[in-house]
Structure formats: structure tokens, C-alpha cells
């Protein structure tokens, strides 16, 4: 509401000068006149304080223009005081207040600031606050801003000297006109009947404020060969019944030919004092229009007729019914309240909100996509809302907030509802933009007619039926998100706290099938606790515990699906409810996510604090869990010797975890054990560790997890591709939400030759990770999975590009362990692209970055350097490096990487002219490719061997495909067909001709 304070100046001297009785009479006239002015503008006097007046605008009735009413009242009060021989100061401020309490008086910061502004004003001045100016700036004139140091305010408060206040100007139509083809056709059809008749037609266009009624009319009449005149009904004031008629008559600037009618018009215009009646005015107005229409067809636009008095509406109907032979089009514009006040009034058109595509056309091209979407969603198809939100977003650096003008408009609309309807709407707003009938009934048990109230709100275009999210319920959605916000803001915070808690309990019972039940219930419990805390009420410990449990469970699920921003938010919010001194190992989940999103410093700080607290509390198991987590994080940034340190820590910790029977600790311990085996490229051992970790996670009640790591170890280890894909199909929908899981599926598909499917899966995964803030895994996908798919597909240039992107992302995060392997993979891609010098430089860098116990990186850089040296005829050193890579690979279970190492040695030997030993190495590579099920590389290697045999003139026949290959293909395709939504996969895609078929990089253990 808007608060106005008016206080007299010099009242003490006046009391000394005047006798008490004349002073009392003067003050009585002052109070009476000030009260009359306030009430004339729709406000009410809250109280008299000495010789000060406090008035409020917005109670008991809220208007969209309360701020302007207060400003106009302030100007009139300022001008009236000298006529009483008095001088005063006035302050006006708009803001949220609490009213309707037992004391009834309005309370809030707006009241205090209004009083301070009044005290800061000079005699004869009106000062208004900035929130008021934002609502009235198009209708007032103000002086320069004054920054005031006000008592009780920590920052200077801007104030403006109010010079004058007029009426709200008509809305400008700067935005483009979009859509409305059907409505345009209907109005133009009425116009055609008017001129063809000729005759008079009445067209009434109804729609919410800002939906585009006036713009539609302006678009139509701008092209009509007619005289166009306009009149607008005012929301309040004295003698306003005929204001729109007087406006029309003044624009026509003529009198009717009939003398009696002309006399009635003069009386209405105040040009004579002759008495006249409503019937005579209606008749005279019709005669004036008919005379004008005889010369040229006429269009009369009456705007905002929902505010029109019954007398005005009867006048319009009089013209419509009796001007049968004159080409007159009466266009009336109204809001939905017209039907409530005058249910029998004929309506031709109801303007609905624009669809999202049309709203997009209203937004300038330069607006960022995320801001566009927020505006589209918030505007709900209302062009005015779009325009106002755009203006505020541009002033607020892209933040979408509800402009104060719209807040006032929506609050006034809701204030007109019947008490039961408003209650139902507010209870629905507690649930959110989409709500359910059952929830409203639980939140409003005193309301016996919820269903009829909802139907009434649908008729009033405030809500609409929607698909329910809960079985057996009726669903509804607010037509405008801003309407929901306005209804919610009207609830006192004490009520919000109670209603959120009650709704959470209802949802726990009825929403058990909701995927995001924990997040939604946690949010409402969090809101209940937050409002209790804000109001100084002791926070309900049981509510806080429920909020913590729900938010943490939701955060853990978000972590599993790699939705990192959601995981960070949910876990932090849940931990905020942890009682002081308590320890929850879920904090270690947050540490992991923070590190993956690039917040390494915060992650290490949190885990360090966790270790200190658990150590001080004597919680040995939790302390060890923290130390393990910290060691793994540090291994990414300081990889040298890190694997041995983690292994040594686990050797001490795992027996303690086993002895304690602590499943959560064992999950952490065995996950770390899998990490150690991973770094050593012992993927079959890693698989056992991760599978056991998943077992303990399930026993600890954690959501299904580690599907990315468990698919990684199967992919990189000795598990054949068909077995990997069959296992993936058994994991269910929860696993497919994990982007890393899908990335390894894509690589497996690429090994079968289905490159387009693999690329599609990876593109979706990269987009998802970018949206969710998973930068570490985005780097891994861009630099590893996508790189290797392109190498398999024979497109080394694309592989290099993905390698560049992945290295850049991971390097920005300050992570070295993964970076070293990515650099090695990029070196393989550069060699395949024929960029030997760059490949050599990348291999050397991988050597510098890689930890001595990072088996895969140690293989990669040796393989690439060996091939580069061989191409430079440095055959001895080249063969030595290549054989070192094979020796390292033999200590691992990386079957596919072993095959590639043998293929790379073969190339080194063939470049040295050692064809026999080179051929033997290719045969060894083929054996391993076939065991792994890498059909693409098996075919290429076999083709290469046949070429060598033909070149050597060998008498032995070409190598045939193994008998098992086609069966393996069918098995693998059957395993993936349903998962990738492919019917009849057909033949594998052809590799690009420019690929180096015998060059495929290995796989990173992560």
C-alpha cells in the first residue's frame, strides 16, 4: 500500500497566538478537509496524531493506482492548506505493510519512511519515495532526487519533490503487433456490416489488463476510412459518469441539428445551466453521432467500461439499439470485471494470452536465450508483462523481477475476488504454479466449496485446468506465474510457515510416485522453517530434521545423475539444517560435487574442516572417510605418488570400516580402492572394488550410484563389448540419466561401427553436462569419449578438435591427472592427422604431466613418441619406447589399450622394414581386439594384415573374419537396440577415408 503523512508547521506558535476555541475550530476544519480529500481519492485516514494526519491507500480496498491516488491527494492537500491559513509538510511512501491485525494500524517500513519523509520536507513541500515514483512516474512531475539521511536507515534514502500529479497517460504501443488474426477478422467483419447496412453495431472486447485489447483496436481503426473518436472511463472521481461521453463530444466539436438535442449537449458540456435528464443526454448524444455519421462513417471507442456507471452503459445500449440507419461502430474495451458487474452485457470477443511463439516475437533479438525463456514463462502471454519485464531486466542487468506496476495491477485484481475465491487462490499459490485440488482442500479446511471456487477462478481466467502430477487429483495452473506470485505475497509469513508444513505432509502421503518428491517436500519444509526463523519463532526441530533428510536425499540423487548445480544447492541447503556440533558424512558428497564443478578450493576447505571437526569429536570412522576423500581430491591436482598414499591409507582404514560394520564408510573405502586400481589401469580389480562399493551404498540407503565408474571399468578392462552392453541394459532408467554411463555406451557402439548413433549420444551428454555445470566430466567427454569415437570413425581432425576442447576445460580446473591422459590421447589424434611435430610435443607434455604410476598415460606418450621417432628413422629408440609401452600394458587389464600398443609397435617395426615381426605384432593386436569385441579395429587390423601378405606375395590365404564375429555383432546390437531407440540398426557406418585405421588411442581409466 501507499502511506501518506501530513503534518502542520508552526503549530506551536499558532497555539500561542490563537485562543483555544478558535484553534480547535481551525484544526477541526483542517482535519475535516484533509479527510475529505483523502477519501475522495479512495484512501482512508488511519489516525490523527496531534495535528498530523496518517492516511493509507490500499486498505480496505486495493487499487492498481493507489500510489497515483496518494500522489494526487498529496498535491490537493498541499494546495488546500494555504486556503485554511495553514502550511504543512507531506511525505508519501509505498511498500509492503501488515494490516488487519487486532490493533488494525498498518505496520511496516513504508509507514516509518513516510513519516521520515514528511519530517524532512520543507514547509509547503511534498516528498515521495522512490518506490512511489516508480509507480507514478508517467503521471507526475518531480524535482531532482535528494539523498536523505533518515533516522533508523543504514543507507541514504532517495526522495523526490512532487511538483504536480495528473491522470495516468494512455499506454503507448511501441512493441510490434503479433498474432490476433481471428480477432482482427471479427472486428473488421463488424465494420463491414456497419458500412454495408448501413447500421450501428456494438462490439465489446474483453481481456485482462495488458493482454492487448487497446492495441487490437488501434490496429483495426488505423486503416478504416472513418472518423474515430475516443472516450475513457475513469476509475474514480466526482462527476465522472459522463466523462467518456464528454471526451467524444469535444473531439467531434459539433452540436446536433435538433435544437432540443443541442440544448442537452450544451448542458452536459457545462455551456449552459439548463436542466437535463439521463434520457435526454442519451438521445442528444445519439443524434450527434448520427449527424456526424451522415457525413462520414464513425467509430466510437469507449475504453475501460468495466469502470463505467450503469447510466453510461445504458447510454451506449441506447445508441446501439436505436441508431439503426447510421454507419456507427461502437467499440467497447473492458476487463473481465465487466461480466461480474454487468453479467448481461453482450461480449463479442474475449482476448486470450498469446502463445509462447508469439511472445518470442515481442522480445528483441539481442536478448540472451535464458533471459528470453524466463520472460516468456513469467509473462504468461501478456504483451504488457513482456514489455514491463524487459524494461526492468535491462535496468537490473538481466535479472527478471516483477515490476512494481505489475505488482500493483495484479494485487488489485486479486483484491476484487470474493473471500472464498481468494482463499482458494492463495492456498493454491503455496503449492506453486501448478497445484492440485486436494492440496487446496487440506490447506483450506474451513472452505466447504473448493471445487466451485476453482471453477469460478477458471471462468475469471486466473487459473486453468492442467494435467495433474498426482494420480487421482485434479490439476490446475496459474495462467500467469506473476499472478501466483501476487497471491502468495498476500499471505502473512506466519501463515506461509504453517501452510508449507501442512502441504509437505499432504504431499508425502499423496505424492509417493513423484520422481522429485524429496526435492519438493524438502523445499516446502525449508520454507516453513525459514519463515519461522525470520519471524523470530523457535524453529521446529522435527520440521528441520525432515527438511534436512529430504534435501540431502534429493541432492544425492542429483549427484548421481551429474546434475551438479542442483546437487550443490540441495546438499548445501540440507546441511544448513544440521544442528551445531553434529557431523554428517553427506558433506563429503558435497565436497565431491564442488570439486567436479571447478570449485576445488572450496572443496578442499570443506573437507579439511570436516576432518578437523571429526577428529575433535573423536569420530575415527568419519575422520578416515574425510582423509580418504581429501587424498583422492589431491591426487587429481598432485598426482605424483598419490596412488600409493591412498593405497596405504586404505590399508589402515578398510579393516576399521569392516570391524565397525559401517556400510557408508565401506562404500567410501571401496570407491577409493576402485580409484587406486583405476589409476594403475587394473580395471578388472577396479570393477570388483566398485561393484562392492555399490553393494554397500545400497545397504547404506544411498541412491543407486557408481554406474559411470562401473561402466568405465568394464569398458576399459577385459569385459567384451557385448557383455558390457548387456550389463548396461540391466541397469535401468536410473543409470541412463548418468552422462558418463551413456558416454561409454557411445564408445561401445562406435567399436561396433555405429558412429552416428555414438555421436548423437555424446552430443546430448555434452549438452547436458554443460547445462548442469559438470565441467570436469564435460572435459572428459569432449577430450576422451568424443575424441576416441572420431578416431574409430576415421576422422582425426575432429578427434583433435575434441581433444583441444577437453584439455582446455580440464586445465582451467587445475586438474593434472586427467589432463595428462587427455594430452596423451590428443597426441594420438595429432599423429593420426599427420601433424607429427605437434604430436611429439603433446607426447612430451604428457610425459611431464603424468604420474609415474599412471599406467595409461605412461603407455600413451611412449606409443606416440615411438611412432614419431620411427617416422624420423630413429628406429632403435622408437622400438625401445614401443616395447616399454607394451610392458606397462601387460601389467594392466586394459585389453583394448594393449591391442593398440601392439598395433603401434607393429607400425614402428614396419617403418623400420621389419615386416615379419611387424606382422606378428599386428596378429597379436588382432587377437586382443577380437577378444575385446572391438569389431571396427579388428576389421581394420585384419585388412592391414591381408595387405601385407599380398605385398609380400605370401602363399598363405588372406585372413578370414572369425566365425564368432557375426554372432558377436548380432548379440551386441540386440543389447543396445532398445536403449538407443533404434529399430533395425542395419550395417555399421563407414569410416572416413582419411582415417589412419591402425591408429586408435587408448582409454582413460576415469
Amino acid at each position: 500500500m501507499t502511506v501518506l503523512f501530513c503534518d502542520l508547521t508552526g503549530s506551536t506558535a499558532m497555539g500561542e497566538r490563537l485562543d483555544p476555541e478558535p484553534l480547535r475550530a481551525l484544526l477541526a476544519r483542517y482535519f475535516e478537509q484533509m479527510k475529505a480529500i483523502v477519501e475522495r481519492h479512495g484512501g482512508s485516514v488511519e489516525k490523527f496524531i496531534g495535528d498530523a494526519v496518517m492516511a493509507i491507500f490500499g486498505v480496505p480496498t486495493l487499487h492498481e493506482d493507489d500510489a497515483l491516488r496518494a500522489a494526487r491527494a498529496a498535491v490537493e492537500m498541499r494546495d488546500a492548506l494555504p486556503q485554511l491559513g495553514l502550511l504543512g509538510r507531506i511525505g508519501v511512501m509505498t511498500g509492503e505493510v501488515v494490516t488487519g491485525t487486532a490493533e488494525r494500524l498498518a505496520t511496516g517500513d513504508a509507514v516509518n519512511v513516510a513519516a521520515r519523509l514528511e519530517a524532512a520536507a520543507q514547509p509547503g513541500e511534498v516528498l515521495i519515495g522512490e518506490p512511489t515514483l516508480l509507480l507514478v512516474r508517467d503521471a507526475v512531475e518531480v524535482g531532482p532526487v535528494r539523498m536523505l539521511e533518515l533516522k533508523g536507515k543504514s543507507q541514504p534514502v532517495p526522495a523526490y519533490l512532487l511538483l504536480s500529479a495528473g491522470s495516468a497517460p494512455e499506454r503507448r504501443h511501441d512493441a510490434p503487433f503479433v498474432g490476433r488474426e481471428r480477432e482482427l477478422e471479427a472486428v473488421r467483419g463488424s465494420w463491414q456490416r456497419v458500412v454495408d447496412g448501413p447500421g450501428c453495431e456494438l462490439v465489446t472486447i474483453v481481456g485482462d489488463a495488458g493482454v492487448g485489447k487497446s492495441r487490437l483496436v488501434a490496429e483495426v481503426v488505423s486503416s478504416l476510412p472513418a472518423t474515430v473518436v475516443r472516450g475513457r472511463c475513469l476509475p474514480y472521481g466526482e462527476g465522472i459518469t459522463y466523462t467518456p461521453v464528454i471526451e467524444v463530444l469535444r473531439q467531434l466539436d459539433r452540436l446536433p441539428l435538433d435544437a432540443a438535442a443541442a440544448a442537452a449537449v450544451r448542458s452536459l458540456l457545462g455551456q449552459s445551466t439548463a436542466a437535463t435528464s439521463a434520457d435526454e443526454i442519451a438521445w442528444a448524444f445519439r443524434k450527434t453521432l448520427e449527424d456526424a455519421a451522415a457525413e462520414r462513417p464513425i467509430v466510437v471507442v469507449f475504453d475501460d467500461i468495466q469502470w463505467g456507471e450503469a447510466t453510461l452503459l445504458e447510454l451506449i445500449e441506447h445508441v446501439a439499439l436505436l441508431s439503426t440507419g447510421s454507419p456507427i461502430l461502437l467499440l467497447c474495451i473492458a476487463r473481465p470485471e465487466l461480466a461480474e458487474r454487468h453479467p448481461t452485457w453482450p461480449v463479442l470477443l474475449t482476448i486470450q494470452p498469446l502463445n509462447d511463439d508469439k511472445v518470442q516475437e515481442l522480445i528483441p533479438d539481442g536478448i540472451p536465450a535464458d533471459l528470453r525463456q524466463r520472460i516468456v514463462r513469467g509473462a504468461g502471454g501478456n504483451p504488457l508483462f513482456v514489455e514491463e519485464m524487459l524494461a526492468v531486466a535491462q535496468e537490473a542487468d538481466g535479472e527478471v523481477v516483477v515490476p512494481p506496476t505489475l505488482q500493483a495491477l495484479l494485487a488489485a485484481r486479486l483484491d476484487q475476488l470474493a473471500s472464498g475465491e481468494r482463499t482458494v487462490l492463495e492456498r493454491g499459490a503455496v503449492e506453486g504454479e501448478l497445484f492440485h485440488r486436494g492440496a487446496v482442500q487440506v490447506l483450506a479446511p474451513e472452505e466447504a466449496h473448493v471445487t466451485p471456487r476453482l471453477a469460478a477462478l477458471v471462468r475469471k481466467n486466473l487459473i486453468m485446468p492442467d494435467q495433474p502430477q498426482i494420480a487421482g487429483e485434479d490439476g490446475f495452473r496459474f495462467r500467469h506465474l506473476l499472478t501466483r506470485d501476487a497471491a502468495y505475497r498476500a499471505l502473512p509469513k506466519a501463515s506461509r510457515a504453517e501452510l508449507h508444513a501442512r502441504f509437505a505432509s499432504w504431499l508425502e502421503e499423496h505424492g509417493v510416485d513423484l520422481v522429485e518428491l524429496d526435492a519438493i517436500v524438502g523445499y516446502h519444509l525449508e520454507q516453513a522453517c525459514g519463515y519461522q526463523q525470520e519471524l523470530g519463532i523457535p524453529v521446529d526441530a522435527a520440521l528441520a530434521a525432515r527438511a534436512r533428510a529430504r534435501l540431502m536425499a534429493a541432492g544425492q540423487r542429483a549427484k548421481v545423475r551429474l546434475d551438479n548445480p542442483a546437487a550443490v544447492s540441495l546438499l548445501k541447503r540440507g546441511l544448513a539444517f544440521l544442528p551445531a556440533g553434529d557431523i554428517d558424512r553427506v558433506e563429503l558428497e558435497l565436497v565431491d560435487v564442488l570439486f567436479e564443478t571447478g570449485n576445488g578450493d572450496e572443496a578442499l576447505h570443506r573437507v579439511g574442516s570436516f576432518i578437523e571437526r571429526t577428529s575433535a569429536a573423536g569420530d575415527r570412522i568419519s575422520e578416515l572417510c574425510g582423509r580418504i576423500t581429501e587424498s583422492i581430491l589431491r591426487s587429481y591436482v598432485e598426482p605424483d605418488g598419490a596412488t600409493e598414499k591412498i593405497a596405504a591409507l586404505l590399508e589402515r582404514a578398510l579393516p576399521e570400516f569392516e570391524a565397525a560394520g559401517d556400510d557408508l564408510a565401506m562404500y567410501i573405502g571401496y570407491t577409493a580402492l576402485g580409484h587406486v586400481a583405476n589409476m594403475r589401469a587394473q580395471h578388472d580389480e577396479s570393477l570388483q572394488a566398485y561393484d562392492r562399493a555399490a553393494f554397500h551404498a545400497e545397504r547404506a540407503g544411498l541412491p543407486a550410484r557408481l554406474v559411470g565408474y562401473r561402466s568405465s571399468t568394464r569398458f576399459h578392462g577385459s569385459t567384451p563389448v557385448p557383455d558390457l552392453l548387456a550389463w548396461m541394459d540391466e541397469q535401468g532408467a536410473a543409470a541412463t540419466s548418468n552422462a558418463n554411463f551413456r558416454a561409454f555406451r557411445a564408445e561401445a557402439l562406435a567399436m561396433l561401427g555405429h558412429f552416428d548413433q555414438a555421436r548423437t549420444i555424446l552430443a546430448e551428454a555434452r549438452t547436458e553436462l554443460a547445462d548442469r555445470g559438470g565441467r570436469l566430466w564435460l572435459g572428459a567427454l569432449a577430450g576422451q569419449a568424443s575424441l576416441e569415437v572420431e578416431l574409430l570413425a576415421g576422422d582425426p581432425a575432429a578427434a583433435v578438435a575434441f581433444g583441444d576442447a577437453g584439455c582446455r576445460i580440464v586445465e582451467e580446473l587445475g586438474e593434472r591427472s586427467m589432463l595428462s591422459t587427455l594430452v596423451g590421447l590428443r597426441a594420438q589424434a595429432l599423429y593420426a592427422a599427420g601433424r607429427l611435430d605437434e604430436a611429439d610435443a603433446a607426447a612430451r607434455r604428457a610425459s611431464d604431466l603424468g604420474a609415474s604410476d599412471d599406467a595409461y598415460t605412461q603407455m600413451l606418450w611412449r606409443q606416440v613418441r615411438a611412432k614419431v621417432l620411427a617416422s624420423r628413422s630413429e628406429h632403435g629408440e622408437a622400438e625401445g619406447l614401443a616395447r616399454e609401452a607394451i610392458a606397462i600394458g601387460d601389467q594392466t587389464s586394459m585389453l583394448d589399450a594393449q591391442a593398440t600398443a601392439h598395433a603401434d609397435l607393429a607400425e614402428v617395426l614396419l617403418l623400420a622394414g621389419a615386416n615379419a615381426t611387424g606382422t606378428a605384432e599386428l596378429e597379436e593386436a588382432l587377437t586382443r581386439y577380437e577378444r575385446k569385441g572391438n569389431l571396427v579395429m579388428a576389421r581394420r587390423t585384419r585388412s592391414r594384415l591381408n595387405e601385407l601378405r599380398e605385398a609380400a606375395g605370401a602363399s598363405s590365404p588372406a585372413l578370414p573374419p572369425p566365425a564368432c564375429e557375426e554372432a558377436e555383432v548380432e548379440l551386441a546390437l540386440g543389447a543396445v537396440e532398445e536403449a538407443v531407440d533404434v529399430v533395425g540398426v542395419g550395417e555399421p557406418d563407414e569410416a572416413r577415408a582419411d582415417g589412419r585405421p591402425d591408429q586408435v588411442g587408448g582409454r582413460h581409466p576415469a
Side-chain angles (χ1 to χ4, degrees):
M1 68 172 60
T2 300
V3 183
L4 180 154
F5 268 91
C6 174
D7 194 11
L8 296 179
T9 62
S11 56
T12 302
M14 184 170 55
E16 184 180 14
R17 187 177 69 253
L18 295 178
D19 184 80
E21 290 188 50
L23 176 61
R24 178 178 179 180
L26 176 59
L27 290 177
R29 291 196 301 276
Y30 155 67
F31 287 130
E32 182 179 352
Q33 188 160 351
M34 296 303 104
K35 182 173 183 290
I37 293 172
V38 167
E39 292 177 349
R40 189 159 56 245
H41 289 277
S44 59
V45 172
E46 180 84 341
K47 59 182 177 179
F48 298 114
I49 312 165
D51 53 11
V53 177
M54 174 185 172
I56 54 176
F57 293 78
V59 172
T61 302
L62 186 67
H63 308 95
E64 64 190 76
D65 60 347
D66 275 321
L68 181 56
R69 291 170 183 244
R72 296 175 68 183
V75 170
E76 189 174 342
M77 292 165 75
R78 178 198 66 191
D79 296 343
L81 286 173
Q83 300 173 19
L84 293 171
L86 301 172
L87 202 57
R89 300 183 301 254
I90 300 175
V92 181
M93 185 64 178
T94 303
E96 235 180 37
V97 301
V98 175
T99 188
T101 59
E103 298 79 13
R104 187 183 172 276
L105 299 178
T107 306
D109 188 57
V111 178
N112 299 330
V113 174
R116 300 283 186 267
L117 292 176
E118 173 265 306
Q122 296 299 312
E125 287 186 345
V126 177
L127 290 182
I128 65 173
E130 190 167 48
T132 305
L133 179 64
L134 290 174
L135 289 165
V136 302
R137 56 185 170 187
D138 293 332
V140 302
E141 181 185 0
V142 296
V145 64
R146 299 179 187 174
M147 301 306 295
L148 303 179
E149 299 285 346
L150 300 184
K151 181 180 178 182
K153 304 298 290 184
S154 59
Q155 298 294 327
V157 174
Y160 299 84
L161 178 63
L162 179 62
L163 302 175
S164 64
S167 299
E170 291 192 24
R171 193 168 295 129
R172 296 173 57 186
H173 301 304
D174 296 330
F177 183 78
V178 299
R180 308 299 189 203
E181 290 80 6
R182 181 185 64 84
E183 292 87 347
L184 285 170
E185 186 63 28
V187 179
R188 285 168 178 160
S190 296
W191 167 254
Q192 199 59 48
R193 289 190 295 274
V194 164
V195 295
D196 289 347
C200 180
E201 287 228 1
L202 170 61
V203 175
T204 302
I205 302 169
V206 172
D208 290 332
V211 80
K213 306 180 297 295
S214 299
R215 184 61 190 277
L216 173 69
V217 169
E219 197 72 17
V220 172
V221 303
S222 64
S223 60
L224 297 182
T227 299
V228 180
V229 287
R230 295 174 173 82
R232 183 182 180 193
C233 297
L234 300 178
Y236 78 99
E238 294 180 349
I240 60 171
T241 298
Y242 288 110
T243 296
V245 174
I246 293 172
E247 289 180 0
V248 168
L249 290 172
R250 287 176 175 165
Q251 290 168 49
L252 288 173
D253 194 22
R254 66 184 298 157
L255 293 174
L257 299 177
D258 185 284
V265 168
R266 288 193 187 94
S267 176
L268 180 62
L269 294 175
Q271 298 172 359
S272 77
T273 57
T276 187
S277 67
D279 289 339
E280 289 173 328
I281 290 172
W283 169 71
F285 182 66
R286 174 169 62 85
K287 285 297 183 182
T288 307
L289 295 182
E290 288 174 348
D291 290 349
E295 300 173 4
R296 179 180 170 85
I298 187 168
V299 178
V300 184
V301 180
F302 287 114
D303 203 352
D304 285 330
I305 68 167
Q306 76 278 353
W307 288 327
E309 299 289 343
T311 302
L312 174 68
L313 299 186
E314 290 170 3
L315 178 148
I316 296 172
E317 285 188 311
H318 170 95
V319 175
L321 292 171
L322 300 181
S323 294
T324 54
S326 299
I328 302 171
L329 178 60
L330 300 173
L331 284 177
C332 294
I333 304 171
R335 297 184 187 177
E337 299 94 288
L338 175 68
E340 300 167 23
R341 297 173 181 173
H342 306 283
T344 61
W345 186 263
V347 175
L348 173 67
L349 284 177
T350 299
I351 306 296
Q352 299 295 342
L354 295 170
N355 62 39
D356 287 354
D357 290 340
K358 296 300 182 184
V359 172
Q360 290 278 8
E361 295 180 34
L362 294 173
I363 303 175
D365 292 337
I367 300 298
D370 59 337
L371 178 56
R372 295 178 73 91
Q373 290 305 318
R374 294 201 300 274
I375 290 175
V376 169
R377 181 167 176 264
N382 188 303
L384 171 64
F385 292 8
V386 174
E387 184 179 343
E388 294 282 342
M389 293 170 76
L390 271 172
V392 173
Q394 289 168 358
E395 294 175 3
D397 295 328
E399 285 295 317
V400 177
V401 296
V402 184
T405 48
L406 297 189
Q407 291 184 24
L409 182 69
L410 294 167
R413 174 78 175 98
L414 300 186
D415 200 58
Q416 297 168 18
L417 296 175
S419 174
E421 293 171 359
R422 180 161 181 166
T423 296
V424 166
L425 198 69
E426 290 172 349
R427 298 315 186 259
V430 171
E431 180 174 356
E433 184 181 5
L434 174 68
F435 62 95
H436 299 85
R437 188 202 62 80
V440 173
Q441 187 67 74
V442 166
L443 299 182
E446 73 286 354
E447 179 54 62
H449 306 289
V450 167
T451 300
R453 302 292 191 204
L454 289 168
L457 293 169
V458 170
R459 286 195 301 272
K460 294 177 180 180
N461 280 326
L462 291 169
I463 62 174
M464 56 185 174
D466 204 337
Q467 186 70 30
Q469 294 180 343
I470 297 175
E473 278 291 337
D474 296 322
F476 297 89
R477 182 180 296 276
F478 281 88
R479 281 197 173 270
H480 301 295
L481 182 60
L482 303 185
T483 303
R484 180 265 165 189
D485 293 344
Y488 183 77
R489 280 197 306 271
L491 286 166
K493 291 177 180 177
S495 298
R496 295 181 204 175
E498 177 191 352
L499 293 171
H500 278 295
R502 212 186 308 167
F503 173 73
S505 298
W506 179 86
L507 191 62
E508 285 175 323
E509 180 181 351
H510 294 84
V512 290
D513 295 328
L514 290 175
V515 175
E516 296 296 332
L517 179 65
D518 283 322
I520 299 171
V521 171
Y523 165 80
H524 287 280
L525 293 170
E526 178 185 33
Q527 293 298 301
C529 295
Y531 285 123
Q532 288 178 348
Q533 186 176 34
E534 189 175 342
L535 294 169
I537 301 171
V539 176
D540 187 311
L543 279 183
R546 288 168 60 198
R548 181 175 74 252
R550 290 288 187 175
L551 290 170
M552 286 183 170
Q556 289 172 308
R557 264 193 294 277
K559 178 179 184 290
V560 169
R561 64 175 183 267
L562 300 182
D563 188 355
N564 289 330
V568 169
S569 172
L570 289 162
L571 292 172
K572 281 187 174 181
R573 286 157 53 196
L575 288 166
F577 288 104
L578 191 66
D582 283 13
I583 295 168
D584 194 326
R585 285 181 225 149
V586 175
E587 187 171 358
L588 299 178
E589 302 266 85
L590 173 59
V591 166
D592 286 342
V593 183
L594 287 169
F595 190 84
E596 290 173 10
T597 53
N599 297 297
D601 291 343
E602 183 181 355
L604 289 170
H605 174 75
R606 272 189 173 272
V607 74
S609 172
F610 181 86
I611 293 169
E612 289 178 7
R613 285 183 277 119
T614 52
S615 176
D619 186 344
R620 172 68 176 168
I621 301 298
S622 295
E623 180 188 350
L624 284 171
C625 290
R627 294 193 181 280
I628 291 169
T629 301
E630 181 185 44
S631 297
I632 291 176
L633 296 187
R634 293 198 180 279
S635 74
Y636 286 109
V637 293
E638 301 168 5
D640 285 325
T643 304
E644 293 304 322
K645 292 177 183 177
I646 300 171
L649 180 59
L650 288 172
E651 192 173 349
R652 299 195 309 271
L654 279 172
E656 294 190 44
F657 294 167
E658 296 279 359
D662 192 319
D663 284 302
L664 179 56
M666 284 188 279
Y667 156 71
I668 293 172
Y670 280 105
T671 300
L673 193 62
H675 174 81
V676 168
N678 228 345
M679 291 302 297
R680 292 168 173 168
Q682 296 168 345
H683 290 288
D684 291 349
E685 295 180 18
S686 179
L687 172 59
Q688 296 176 19
Y690 283 137
D691 280 350
R692 184 159 183 184
F695 167 77
H696 287 293
E698 183 177 359
R699 285 185 47 168
L702 298 175
R705 57 187 55 214
L706 295 176
V707 290
Y709 287 108
R710 293 163 74 196
S711 55
S712 166
T713 54
R714 284 172 168 82
F715 179 83
H716 292 303
S718 62
T719 304
V721 170
D723 294 350
L724 164 65
L725 292 169
W727 174 83
M728 284 183 159
D729 285 341
E730 295 170 359
Q731 302 312 301
T736 59
S737 67
N738 183 286
N740 281 345
F741 177 91
R742 299 202 305 275
F744 290 114
R745 180 187 290 278
E747 288 202 72
L749 283 170
M751 285 183 169
L752 301 179
H754 295 284
F755 309 121
D756 288 342
Q757 296 169 34
R759 287 169 176 143
T760 298
I761 293 171
L762 286 171
E764 292 173 352
R766 289 194 304 270
T767 300
E768 180 180 305
L769 286 170
D771 291 342
R772 292 178 171 182
R775 298 193 67 211
L776 186 63
W777 298 122
L778 176 61
L781 283 174
Q784 179 182 336
S786 298
L787 179 153
E788 294 185 308
V789 165
E790 295 304 333
L791 278 178
L792 283 167
D795 190 348
V800 171
F802 280 118
D804 290 343
C807 289
R808 183 170 55 252
I809 293 171
V810 176
E811 192 163 12
E812 287 173 357
L813 295 176
E815 197 275 354
R816 284 186 56 191
S817 177
M818 187 176 293
L819 177 63
S820 65
T821 308
L822 288 175
V823 171
L825 286 168
R826 179 175 173 272
Q828 284 279 40
L830 286 166
Y831 181 85
R835 296 159 61 177
L836 302 191
D837 290 343
E838 294 175 76
D840 191 31
R844 290 177 184 275
R845 188 176 182 219
S847 173
D848 293 338
L849 288 170
S852 59
D853 54 1
D854 183 349
Y856 190 38
T857 298
Q858 295 301 327
M859 290 174 67
L860 281 171
W861 75 259
R862 285 175 168 86
Q863 289 169 237
V864 176
R865 284 228 69 216
K867 289 183 290 186
V868 171
L869 290 170
S871 69
R872 296 171 178 168
S873 299
E874 299 179 39
H875 300 299
E877 186 178 354
E879 183 177 347
L881 286 172
R883 291 193 182 280
E884 286 178 15
I886 288 176
I888 295 170
D890 287 344
Q891 304 303 311
T892 76
S893 56
M894 298 183 72
L895 194 56
D896 195 71
Q898 292 171 0
T900 302
H902 281 283
D904 285 348
L905 174 57
E907 178 160 348
V908 168
L909 293 169
L910 291 170
L911 286 170
N915 287 6
T917 52
T919 300
E921 290 299 327
L922 276 179
E923 289 172 346
E924 188 63 38
L926 176 61
T927 299
R928 283 171 164 78
Y929 282 136
E930 288 177 341
R931 282 173 55 198
K932 182 62 185 176
N934 187 340
L935 302 186
V936 169
M937 290 310 301
R939 286 170 178 165
R940 291 181 186 173
T941 305
R942 192 179 304 112
S943 175
R944 178 67 170 143
L945 283 167
N946 287 333
E947 289 174 3
L948 290 171
R949 283 177 168 76
E950 291 174 7
S955 58
S956 59
L959 290 174
C964 66
E965 180 173 319
E966 293 305 319
E968 287 179 350
V969 171
E970 292 303 318
L971 176 61
L973 292 182
V976 301
E977 190 169 292
E978 180 178 350
V980 296
D981 296 324
V982 176
V983 178
V985 174
E987 293 300 315
D989 305 328
E990 290 296 325
R992 290 180 53 153
D994 60 353
R996 300 282 293 262
D998 57 337
Q999 297 305 315
V1000 177
R1003 310 294 188 269
H1004 184 269

